[in-house]
Amino acid sequence: MNIWKKVLEAYHIYPVSIEKQTERVVKVFDGMQEYALKRSFLTEQTIENWQHVYHLAREKNVTEILPVYLTRNNTFFHKEENFYYYLTPWIDSPEVTDPAYDIERTLQTLAQIHKKTRQTSRIKSDRMKASFQGFENFCKQSLDQLHVRVTDYESRKYMSPFELLYCTHYKGVCHAVGLLQDKLEQIYGEEEAEILWSTSLCHQRVDHTHSKGGYLINWESGGMEHPARDLSHYFRSLTGAYNQPEKTIQQAFTVYQKTNHLTVKEMHLVSVYLLNPSSYLSVLKNYTDRRTKKSMVNQVKELQQQFRRLEFAMNWVEFVQETYELKEEQPD
């Protein structure tokens, strides 16, 4: 614990107790207040961007980002033995939680951050299309890979449980990739010279562990991106299980939308990220190339988990179409 005490001296904090929470986080009590001290993953290349998050939060009055304490040298961090440490208030996690409430609260917190830091600009359609060209090529290659695998597996006299499961998924995964291509076309395929687009301060790694008491913690990967980055990452973190909270997510998104309004085109970008089959293809490739030591049972579970996420994505597309897209097309 000596290294932790040494770091705390930089904050003029002399602990009564230090409790290890993880390999990188300790809970500190100084007799009056509780703190969280973290040995971060920040580097010399990323520290400036991380500090910018807190400068922006102060400038835009973003109270939903858990603040960091300043050292006695008036800095956001303390460097010790080549590691960057930072100190925040300690936020207790409730012992019993309501998952639906937690999802809605997290999305409301995200909505506030995205709204307060939103920057809108016009992007030329050609430029937008060019930025997705590599992804479009990936989609076409993915369909080819999927076809090769199903042809190979179905030619075998006996299929493994993994191969059998993949063959049942095949049409669904191809449909997901087809929807992805459609959504890309809907984002930049219309005859518009420019597209109204926005960026906001995004966490980029949001999951339930980063949402506490109305705050988002751990902004080491934060930066200016389209809100679809946060939404898709958070949705993926919530899905994959047999009882994934699909309706709860959809209902909570309507709350997000009231605070930080996204256009249908922007919702299509959420769809694009959700429909990305790369995680599914990665599991498939690991099996095909025998690059994993996981048991057959665990490989089957992993493939099914990734397919459930694609199922959620396909249902999300339908939800957006029924709830927002059709209404936007209706005349006043």
Side-chain angles (χ1 to χ4, degrees):
M1 288 293 181
N2 287 340
I3 187 68
W4 299 107
K5 288 182 179 178
K6 190 174 181 180
V7 172
L8 288 166
E9 287 178 6
Y11 295 88
H12 286 306
I13 292 175
Y14 303 95
V16 173
S17 64
I18 298 177
E19 299 176 16
K20 180 180 176 181
Q21 304 298 309
T22 69
E23 289 300 318
R24 288 180 170 268
V25 178
V26 294
K27 180 181 180 181
V28 178
F29 180 57
D30 66 355
M32 296 179 64
Q33 287 182 257
E34 291 178 329
Y35 309 89
L37 179 61
K38 182 174 182 182
R39 184 173 68 241
S40 74
F41 289 100
L42 293 165
T43 65
E44 191 175 340
Q45 289 72 39
T46 61
I47 190 72
E48 187 174 340
N49 189 62
W50 176 78
Q51 292 181 90
H52 178 68
V53 169
Y54 294 96
H55 287 303
L56 187 61
R58 183 179 296 177
E59 178 188 332
K60 301 293 185 180
N61 193 30
V62 184
T63 55
E64 293 79 14
I65 293 177
L66 188 67
V68 295
Y69 290 105
L70 297 177
T71 67
R72 60 190 178 191
N73 294 325
N74 211 35
T75 59
F76 287 126
F77 63 89
H78 177 74
K79 190 175 183 180
E80 191 70 41
E81 296 183 2
N82 295 318
F83 287 105
Y84 292 91
Y85 292 80
Y86 60 88
L87 187 73
T88 69
W90 177 264
I91 304 294
D92 280 314
S93 300
E95 293 182 9
V96 180
T97 61
D98 174 6
Y101 173 77
D102 289 344
I103 292 170
E104 184 172 312
R105 191 175 192 185
T106 298
L107 282 176
Q108 182 61 38
T109 302
L110 273 177
Q112 291 288 351
I113 296 171
H114 291 165
K115 181 182 179 182
K116 290 176 183 178
T117 60
R118 185 169 184 148
Q119 297 177 0
T120 304
S121 61
R122 289 192 172 276
I123 300 177
K124 291 186 180 299
S125 297
D126 290 346
R127 181 182 161 198
M128 176 74 76
K129 185 172 184 177
S131 69
F132 279 106
Q133 190 59 56
F135 194 47
E136 273 204 74
N137 294 338
F138 165 73
C139 290
K140 293 172 185 175
Q141 292 165 7
S142 297
L143 289 172
D144 293 338
Q145 291 176 40
L146 292 166
H147 180 69
V148 168
R149 289 275 68 82
V150 79
T151 302
D152 178 29
Y153 293 162
E154 288 184 339
S155 69
R156 300 179 184 184
K157 188 173 182 181
Y158 298 107
M159 285 190 277
S160 72
F162 183 97
E163 293 161 358
L164 188 61
L165 180 63
Y166 169 70
C167 289
T168 65
H169 289 171
Y170 173 69
K171 287 186 178 179
V173 180
C174 288
H175 180 59
V177 177
L179 281 175
L180 195 164
Q181 292 172 313
D182 290 344
K183 295 306 150 191
L184 284 174
E185 183 65 24
Q186 288 176 32
I187 290 173
Y188 54 68
E190 296 177 12
E191 294 184 5
E192 294 179 69
E194 294 182 326
I195 299 171
L196 190 64
W197 210 246
S198 68
T199 57
S200 295
L201 181 59
C202 289
H203 186 282
Q204 302 200 78
R205 291 177 54 226
V206 186
D207 61 31
H208 74 280
T209 67
H210 296 133
S211 181
K212 292 189 174 185
Y215 293 104
L216 282 187
I217 66 172
N218 189 352
W219 283 82
E220 292 174 32
S221 299
M224 295 298 289
E225 290 284 353
H226 192 278
R229 287 276 190 188
D230 273 348
L231 293 170
S232 58
H233 190 285
Y234 183 50
F235 293 167
R236 283 184 60 80
S237 77
L238 295 169
T239 55
Y242 73 93
N243 59 342
Q244 53 192 20
E246 188 172 302
K247 296 298 182 185
T248 301
I249 293 171
Q250 293 174 0
Q251 182 59 41
F253 176 74
T254 62
V255 176
Y256 172 97
Q257 181 71 352
K258 288 176 183 176
T259 299
N260 187 54
H261 178 81
L262 300 184
T263 65
V264 168
K265 278 185 185 292
E266 291 178 311
M267 291 182 209
H268 289 336
L269 186 59
V270 179
S271 301
V272 164
Y273 289 141
L274 290 173
L275 289 163
N276 185 348
S278 59
S279 295
Y280 185 94
L281 290 170
S282 178
V283 177
L284 186 62
K285 185 170 178 56
N286 286 341
Y287 172 84
T288 304
D289 296 348
R290 303 185 185 281
R291 294 192 305 187
T292 178
K293 295 181 180 179
K294 294 178 182 178
S295 67
M296 178 63 70
V297 170
N298 285 334
Q299 289 181 79
V300 166
K301 284 181 178 178
E302 196 174 4
L303 192 70
Q304 183 62 32
Q305 182 184 56
Q306 295 302 335
F307 184 69
R308 287 194 187 108
R309 288 188 169 125
L310 290 176
E311 283 187 311
F312 169 80
M314 289 184 277
N315 291 335
W316 166 264
V317 169
E318 189 175 319
F319 161 72
V320 169
Q321 184 176 18
E322 292 178 354
T323 311
Y324 300 103
E325 196 168 356
L326 293 177
K327 289 181 180 178
E328 193 172 270
E329 290 173 356
Q330 289 175 354
D332 294 333

